[in-house]
Amino acid sequence: MNDIIMTTGEADNKQRQKAGESYSGNKTDIAGQEQKKTMLSHAPDAHNATNKDDPEKMKPRMPEGDIAHPLAAWFENVKRDLPWRRTKDAYRIWVSEIMLQQTTISAVIGYYERFLTALPTLKDLAACPDDRLLKLWEGLGYYSRVRNMKKAAIQLVEQGLDNLPADHKALLDMPGVGAYTAGAIGSLAFGLRYPAVDGNVLRVMTRLTASYADNLKPAVKSYYEKEMKSLLDGCPDVDSGVFNEAIMELGETVCLPHGEVLCEECPLKHLCLTKAQGLQSELPVRVIKTKRRIEKKTIFLWEHEGRFAVRKRPETGLLSGLYEFPNTEGHLTEEAAVDFVEKMGGSVIAAERLKAGKHLFSHIEWQMIGYRVHVSKRPTGEDLCWATREEIFGKYAVPGAFDTYRKLIPDDKQRIGSGTD
Ligand code: ADE
């Protein structure tokens, strides 16, 4: 069953009507200086509010006025000094853009530097063994991102390239690169005039237009992509990379979600239809359909002579190729946990229940309990590696889903039977 969660704004009929009324009511008040070239040219025949449920028909009017120039001027003054903004190298920009998907800027910075120190060129990435690559990505999650990067790097190197192509279609052909990433890399590295519409940019656009359409519908994103493409084409004097990064910056630092929006700092506040109508806390609307399957698991920290058991997950499926602690389906009692180890040929000295953990994947929720089990004889299993704490942190790529338990691996002083308590 799908749960429908309205994450922002309760878009009931009354509110939609309210938006519709004040939308048309404010239209003439908001008109800025007429600069046809940098205005969006759309002349909608359908109304934002009444077409909420049909994004194909939803054609929200853009505010009338220059968007690109005030935005670019503002960005030049306020832009943050981020590592990937100090380069025009498409490979480096690609790495940053892929890392920034689903991960915050502050979390990405360290990974970005480390990844590029280890793999400074496209060729290095293409030749990197999977285990090493996954270790470099460990903790960022969504590992298919880095697997696709390696696939793309191999393809490009096979085509005789030593960097990414300066062509929008060719960028789109790379595994893992969609309209957003191709737009971002193309504009930032090569000045190609394509928009880069991510969630933050979409929020800015739906707020500028005071649209009640569901922001999570692909058709809504496509609509704004087309509009922004015409906007970019209409202002050739504004650098497309500056434009794209400026609007990302606006979404990340000013046009924040929910009621946190900082309208007074916005370079487009005089144009914004949402601000004019006071709808900031209602927009954008995002209808989230959650459908996560619950999986209960028991995770084991098996300890023998200062080493802990880990094993490689299968090469396909969830978290493929990464390392995990031995685990089994269901929540075992302590007695069953000890039985489990003994059935695998282990001899248990002591078992201790660990705290519960939870991890959310897009479609699955792991609800975990754990046991730390000290054994005098190791359980057998071809796939088990017995690793030191140092190796588990430094050598094996263990995904964040197991962090609750990895953090509990004792250092030397805390180890069972070490003579200290
Ligand atoms: N988010 C994604 N790409 C970005 C960039 N280049 N600058 C700031 N935020 C971003």
Side-chain angles (χ1 to χ4, degrees):
M1 208 186 73
N2 285 355
D3 295 330
I4 310 285
I5 302 169
M6 308 292 286
T7 55
T8 319
E10 282 130 18
D12 61 22
N13 282 331
K14 214 166 98 199
Q15 286 163 328
R16 270 178 248 147
Q17 258 170 11
K18 180 178 152 201
E21 282 159 20
S22 43
Y23 182 72
S24 33
N26 275 307
K27 207 172 41 155
T28 47
D29 303 339
I30 303 163
Q33 314 117 311
E34 279 262 308
Q35 289 207 7
K36 281 249 156 47
K37 277 189 144 190
T38 57
M39 276 166 39
L40 288 179
S41 55
H42 215 93
D45 47 10
H47 196 282
N48 292 8
T50 51
N51 284 308
K52 174 195 164 282
D53 295 324
D54 186 349
E56 291 300 336
K57 287 192 198 145
M58 185 222 56
K59 293 182 176 7
R61 268 169 281 202
M62 289 300 294
E64 292 178 14
D66 180 6
I67 290 177
H69 292 93
L71 185 63
W74 167 81
F75 183 58
E76 291 303 339
N77 279 329
V78 302
K79 71 175 169 195
R80 291 166 293 175
D81 177 29
L82 301 170
W84 44 89
R85 290 184 176 169
R86 297 175 209 143
T87 183
K88 287 271 169 200
D89 176 27
Y91 170 68
R92 300 176 89 82
I93 290 171
W94 176 42
V95 171
S96 73
E97 289 302 337
I98 299 292
M99 284 187 174
L100 284 162
Q101 291 166 15
Q102 285 125 344
T103 313
T104 60
I105 288 182
S106 56
V108 162
I109 291 175
Y111 281 95
Y112 174 81
E113 311 274 16
R114 198 165 58 106
F115 191 94
L116 287 168
T117 303
L119 306 173
T121 68
L122 188 72
K123 279 193 176 136
D124 296 319
L125 171 58
C128 183
D130 285 355
D131 272 4
R132 178 152 180 252
L133 193 59
L134 293 171
K135 188 68 195 167
L136 285 167
W137 205 265
E138 181 194 276
L140 276 174
Y142 301 95
Y143 292 83
S144 59
R145 290 184 290 173
V146 72
R147 290 179 187 286
N148 278 330
M149 284 179 76
K150 181 171 167 183
K151 263 190 224 157
I154 291 171
Q155 279 179 16
L156 296 174
V157 169
E158 280 174 0
Q159 290 164 26
L161 300 176
D162 57 11
N163 209 325
L164 275 63
D167 177 84
H168 187 66
K169 282 213 173 74
L171 289 169
L172 281 172
D173 278 345
M174 292 166 54
V177 172
Y180 165 79
T181 315
I185 300 168
S187 62
L188 294 169
F190 307 119
L192 302 180
R193 303 196 76 76
Y194 289 88
V197 181
D198 67 358
N200 289 314
V201 172
L202 205 49
R203 182 170 59 254
V204 173
M205 296 308 292
T206 45
R207 284 219 177 112
L208 270 176
T209 54
S211 167
Y212 272 79
D214 174 6
N215 236 350
L216 295 181
K217 289 197 170 160
V220 173
K221 184 166 173 261
S222 309
Y223 175 80
Y224 285 111
E225 277 167 352
K226 277 185 209 128
E227 289 293 318
M228 288 175 75
K229 171 78 178 122
S230 352
L231 198 156
L232 272 170
D233 289 341
C235 59
D237 59 324
V238 174
D239 180 274
S240 57
V242 169
F243 176 84
N244 281 338
E245 221 163 29
I247 199 155
M248 287 176 203
E249 191 86 344
L250 191 62
E252 286 162 8
T253 62
V254 173
C255 195
L256 298 167
H258 314 297
E260 295 164 44
V261 57
L262 306 171
C263 291
E264 286 318 310
E265 293 174 27
C266 178
L268 305 178
K269 65 180 176 218
H270 57 294
L271 299 172
C272 180
L273 300 176
T274 291
K275 178 171 189 300
Q277 297 165 78
L279 298 172
Q280 292 93 325
S281 59
E282 288 176 25
L283 297 176
V285 171
R286 300 167 83 238
V287 183
I288 297 179
K289 296 172 191 166
T290 52
K291 195 183 168 192
R292 283 203 184 94
R293 187 175 72 242
I294 307 277
E295 290 186 359
K296 292 186 191 296
K297 289 190 172 288
T298 301
I299 313 292
F300 293 108
L301 290 184
W302 289 338
E303 179 180 357
H304 181 250
E305 294 177 351
R307 290 176 177 266
F308 293 83
V310 289
R311 66 185 181 198
K312 197 170 197 183
R313 289 178 63 85
E315 287 301 336
T316 53
L318 187 69
L319 304 176
S320 50
L322 295 159
Y323 285 82
E324 66 176 4
F325 298 111
N327 60 79
T328 188
E329 295 308 313
H331 285 173
L332 302 190
T333 60
E334 189 168 324
E335 205 183 349
V338 169
D339 271 2
F340 187 90
V341 181
E342 292 188 337
K343 278 199 183 111
M344 287 183 69
S347 301
V348 174
I349 300 172
E352 174 197 354
R353 171 85 178 243
L354 302 173
K355 66 179 173 187
K358 185 161 107 169
H359 189 81
L360 302 181
F361 300 94
S362 48
H363 293 96
I364 301 172
E365 174 177 332
W366 279 1
Q367 292 178 353
M368 297 170 280
I369 61 162
Y371 293 95
R372 177 178 164 196
V373 184
H374 189 208
V375 295
S376 57
K377 184 169 157 245
R378 291 176 177 179
T380 49
E382 282 170 22
D383 54 347
L384 292 180
C385 315
W386 290 84
T388 60
R389 181 181 197 274
E390 226 170 31
E391 286 170 335
I392 287 171
F393 281 89
K395 176 176 169 195
Y396 294 100
V398 179
F402 294 97
D403 265 2
T404 308
Y405 299 100
R406 188 166 76 154
K407 283 185 196 147
L408 296 176
I409 293 183
D411 57 27
D412 284 345
K413 285 187 205 129
Q414 299 165 304
R415 200 160 290 139
I416 297 173
S418 67
T420 56
D421 62 10

